[in-house]
Every structure is written in C-alpha cells, then in structure tokens.
Amino acid sequence: MQFCANKLDKKDFFGKSDPFMVFYRSNEDGTFTICHKTEVVKNTLNPVWQPFTIPVRALCNGDYDRTIKVEVYDWDRDGSHDFIGDFTTSYRELARGQSQFNVYEVINTKKKMKKKKYVNSGTVTLLSFSVESEFTFLDYIKGGTQINFTVAIDFTASNGNPSQSTSLHYMNPYQLNAYAMALKAVGEIIQDYDSDKMFPALGFGAKLPPDGRVSHEFPLNGNMENPYCNGIEGILEAYHQSLKTVQLYGPTNFAPVVNHVARYAATVQDGSQYFVLLIITDGVISDMAQTKEAIVNSAKLPMSIIIVGVGQAEFDAMVELDGDDIRISSRGKLAERDIVQFVPFRDYMDRTGNHVLSMARLAKDVLAEIPDQFISYMKSRGIKPNPAPPPYTPPGHTHHHTQI
C-alpha cells in the first residue's frame, strides 16, 4: 500500500510538521495492537510515504471487515511526538484501491470538542493497494514439484587413511563414521520429498583405478553412465565400496560437483524440480575462487547446497561460502540469493554418544533454510505452484449415489 496526506496541521513552531503514521489492528477484546509504522517525512504538511508491504494477518487477522486504526503524528527529536489526528478503515475499504472512498479525514477529537469551526486536521489518501498470495514450500510439494537429492563425498587424503581408527573415513564395523552419519541424518529426511528414491552419489579428490587418475566428480557406484544409488542404504553401500577401491588423494575441489548438479538444474527451470546438493567434507578447500564462481552461477538456478563439515579443522572457508553474514560474490557479481547452508558436524556430537538426538538436530538445522531458499527461487521466477491433485481414493471405494 502507499499513502499520502494533504494539509495536515502544522505542529512545529519553526517549519512545518514531520509527519509519520502508525497502523493498528483491532483485537477481539476491542484493544489495538500496533502493526506498522511509516517512515517520517521531514518538514511538510503534504507528505508522500513510501509504499510498504504487510501480511494481511498482521493488518486485520484475516478479517476483512475488522477496524484498522491509523494515527498521524508529528515526529519530534525528543520522542514526544505530537498527535495530529486519526481515522479508521478496514481491509475491505482499502481493497477498493485508489478512489474517492479512500480519502480519509484526519480528526483530532480534542481539538474538535474545543473549536466550533473545526473541520479536520488534514486528509490521508490511499495511492495504491495490491494483494499477493504467499505460497509455502508445501504448496509446491503438493503441486508435484520434485526435490532431487545429490550427495558428494570428500575423498581427499587430509581425511586420514580409512584403515586407521583416527581417519574420518574409518571403516568401523560396529558404528557409522561421521561421513555415514551425516549422510544418513540428512538423507533420510530429504528422501521423502523425492518420489523415485534414486540418488546420484559422487566422490571427489581421489585417484581412481585402474590408472590412478585424479577425479573430482566420480560416481560412488563406479558407473559413469548411471551414478544413481537406490535409497540412502544404496548410497552408504556404494560409499563403503569405493573406500575399498579408490585412493584418497587431493586437492579438494568443490567446483566440479557444484557444476555437475548445476548442469542438471539448468535444464529444468520451470519449477517442476528443485535440486539439493549435500557436500560432506573435512573442510580444507583448494579451489575457493572457482567454487565461489560456481555458487554465484548456481544461485540463478533451482538449487541449494548443504555443506556438512566433519572433523576438527577450522571451517572459516565454509562459513564464508555459507553467505549468511556476507553474501558471496565472484568477480564483482553478487549471488542473487543465498543458496548455501553450512553446519559443522562436531557441534552435534553429544558427549554421551547418543547419536539419535544429535542426528535429528543436525537434520533440522541443515534443512532449515531449504524451504526459504526454494521459495526465493520460485518467487524470483514468478512460478506459482500447480493445484494439488484430488486426494487419492483406493479403487473400490468410490461413493455410489443411489437415486430414490
């Protein structure tokens, strides 16, 4: 909405008034709760305020006929703002948009009581009004958008030799290592949003048989044509297999796996699919500049990246990629949205060794940003969810109407 005012009362001894407005929604019990304050427009009796956006819920609790009270004040530096006057309206009235119905007299009741000839303390006019539906993550899921989950695992030598118990890739026959735990925690939740449960699983930073060439995007199942694994169990199996066949090496390059997923995401930008890449790493990254470039390019695509850092390294580079505090940029280009979420795995190891609780917390924190990142993509592209299909009724349960 946007408002302007005309001929407001002059309240300042020197100069004119410095008007601002305060909006209140009315509650069930007749009290009022502040829900919006405009900015102050300095030294004018005819201010034009900036347009603002507010949830309908906040304005009137979704009740179109409920009173909305608006007070107009003259701003004073010491905080003793002078009351100019007020008026009331409702969502239903405002929704008529700019018209003669949406010009309001600003009334100062005290002044009206005292002065016989009092008309008003100015008028406020609605300049524009529009309402937009806000869709939720689930609206898109119900409408059929698929989440494609890809995992990429760090096979660099800094993880330590998998046959030694100090290694982050240690193959302990009795319990999952940190890589497997992080994969399982995040994967088991995200898999429910993916109908075929077939997940591409990649490794990076290892020397591959037979000739020992270094690869930064190799399929864990060894099948270049078809890197898909069946379910989280399938990924874990392929991960354990590849630990036996490849040689941990380096350097640690993220850009190839990010670009790998981006290539797929670039082919479906109609909102029918969204891609989530989970990178599990010990956090020592060698291609920071290329990775930033890859992330900035991916931010335009329907994809998000989750990085789980395992081990005891300093994860400064990962925190920088996360972009929560400072949006990442590459060659002077800012990422158009924040698509990376980083969490250090060690923050989730409770001292008692009870992994069940800590894994649930890990999954929650890791996935917390995905719905907002997902919505920010759909919104920026103007993509609305498809209508949800009618609920499924099993065959033989159709309702027969008998005519009498």
Side-chain angles (χ1 to χ4, degrees):
M1 301 186 266
Q2 184 177 22
F3 291 91
C4 69
N6 289 91
K7 301 195 179 132
L8 293 173
D9 286 356
K10 172 169 153 28
K11 289 286 184 182
D12 287 348
F13 193 65
F14 299 108
K16 306 184 173 100
S17 294
D18 305 316
F20 69 94
M21 293 199 291
V22 185
F23 287 71
Y24 298 86
R25 82 168 165 270
S26 56
N27 303 314
E28 311 292 341
D29 60 2
T31 59
F32 285 93
T33 304
I34 180 167
C35 60
H36 181 74
K37 233 187 217 159
T38 69
E39 78 283 9
V40 176
V41 184
K42 289 291 181 70
N43 197 24
T44 174
L45 302 178
N46 303 301
V48 178
W49 288 284
Q50 293 292 324
F52 66 91
T53 310
I54 181 171
V56 173
R57 210 182 39 251
L59 188 63
C60 63
N61 205 16
D63 173 353
Y64 292 0
D65 296 302
R66 186 178 293 213
T67 304
I68 297 165
K69 183 169 78 169
V70 186
E71 296 178 340
V72 187
Y73 287 93
D74 164 40
W75 177 85
D76 281 325
R77 175 153 291 132
D78 64 3
S80 65
H81 312 309
D82 303 315
F83 178 65
I84 295 176
D86 62 15
F87 63 92
T88 61
T89 179
S90 69
Y91 176 94
R92 199 176 298 285
E93 286 180 58
L94 292 170
R96 294 163 147 180
Q98 190 186 11
S99 69
Q100 77 270 25
F101 301 114
N102 275 315
V103 180
Y104 297 93
E105 286 194 280
V106 178
I107 303 296
N108 183 334
T109 317
K110 275 190 187 147
K111 219 168 151 180
K112 194 175 177 178
M113 310 276 267
K114 281 191 209 144
K115 288 193 176 169
K116 282 218 167 67
K117 287 188 176 165
Y118 177 82
V119 181
N120 62 38
S121 296
T123 57
V124 167
T125 302
L126 176 69
L127 292 175
S128 68
F129 178 96
S130 65
V131 60
E132 289 172 8
S133 298
E134 290 278 319
F135 296 109
T136 67
F137 177 60
L138 281 180
D139 290 331
Y140 289 90
I141 298 298
K142 287 175 188 159
T145 297
Q146 285 291 316
I147 306 284
N148 293 298
F149 177 52
T150 302
V151 61
I153 291 180
D154 180 338
F155 280 82
T156 54
S158 50
N159 283 286
N161 179 345
S163 60
Q164 290 170 347
S165 62
T166 50
S167 169
L168 295 169
H169 281 306
Y170 177 54
M171 302 278 291
N172 181 340
Y174 302 109
Q175 67 175 50
L176 296 174
N177 64 30
Y179 275 89
M181 262 199 283
L183 169 66
K184 203 165 147 69
V186 179
E188 284 188 339
I189 294 199
I190 221 165
Q191 70 173 349
D192 291 334
Y193 295 89
D194 185 316
S195 59
D196 67 1
K197 311 268 182 285
M198 296 296 290
F199 309 114
L202 308 170
F204 56 93
K207 277 185 163 177
L208 307 188
D211 50 359
R213 67 182 178 86
V214 175
S215 171
H216 296 293
E217 43 168 322
F218 61 90
L220 294 188
N221 65 6
N223 184 343
M224 269 320 212
E225 271 56 67
N226 182 4
Y228 290 85
C229 300
N230 192 349
I232 303 307
E233 291 310 316
I235 301 177
L236 287 169
E237 204 173 306
Y239 161 63
H240 288 130
Q241 266 325 107
S242 43
L243 276 176
K244 294 176 189 155
T245 53
V246 306
Q247 182 195 342
L248 302 194
Y249 206 68
T252 311
N253 293 353
F254 282 12
V257 290
V258 172
N259 289 328
H260 176 100
V261 175
R263 281 196 296 276
Y264 287 93
T267 63
V268 278
Q269 297 187 50
D270 60 357
S272 62
Q273 301 189 40
Y274 192 87
F275 294 77
V276 176
L277 167 62
L278 170 64
I279 299 175
I280 312 177
T281 175
D282 69 358
V284 191
I285 180 172
S286 325
D287 67 339
M288 192 66 169
Q290 291 86 335
T291 296
K292 280 182 163 177
E293 173 83 358
I295 290 171
V296 168
N297 292 333
S298 300
K300 304 193 206 47
L301 300 171
M303 73 181 266
S304 287
I305 300 165
I306 296 166
I307 303 172
V308 176
V310 291
Q312 298 306 319
E314 280 307 314
F315 288 121
D316 303 356
M318 301 299 109
V319 172
E320 187 182 334
L321 292 178
D322 185 301
D324 274 353
D325 300 327
I326 303 165
R327 182 69 57 89
I328 73 160
S329 59
S330 170
R331 306 195 219 178
K333 283 202 315 256
L334 266 180
E336 73 169 63
R337 49 193 194 96
D338 170 22
I339 62 165
V340 181
Q341 166 75 334
F342 166 71
V343 294
F345 187 74
R346 57 171 173 245
D347 294 0
Y348 295 88
M349 290 289 86
D350 56 359
R351 304 290 154 256
T352 61
N354 173 1
H355 296 318
V356 179
L357 288 174
S358 47
M359 290 308 94
R361 276 189 20 250
L362 171 76
K364 178 176 177 289
D365 290 356
V366 157
L367 296 169
E369 287 186 23
I370 298 275
D372 288 344
Q373 292 176 3
F374 175 103
I375 290 291
S376 77
Y377 174 80
M378 297 300 179
K379 239 180 149 166
S380 70
R381 296 296 178 274
I383 298 168
K384 293 184 167 37
N386 292 325
Y392 172 72
T393 37
H397 288 263
T398 44
H399 298 291
H400 296 291
H401 295 289
T402 1
Q403 291 219 305
I404 302 172

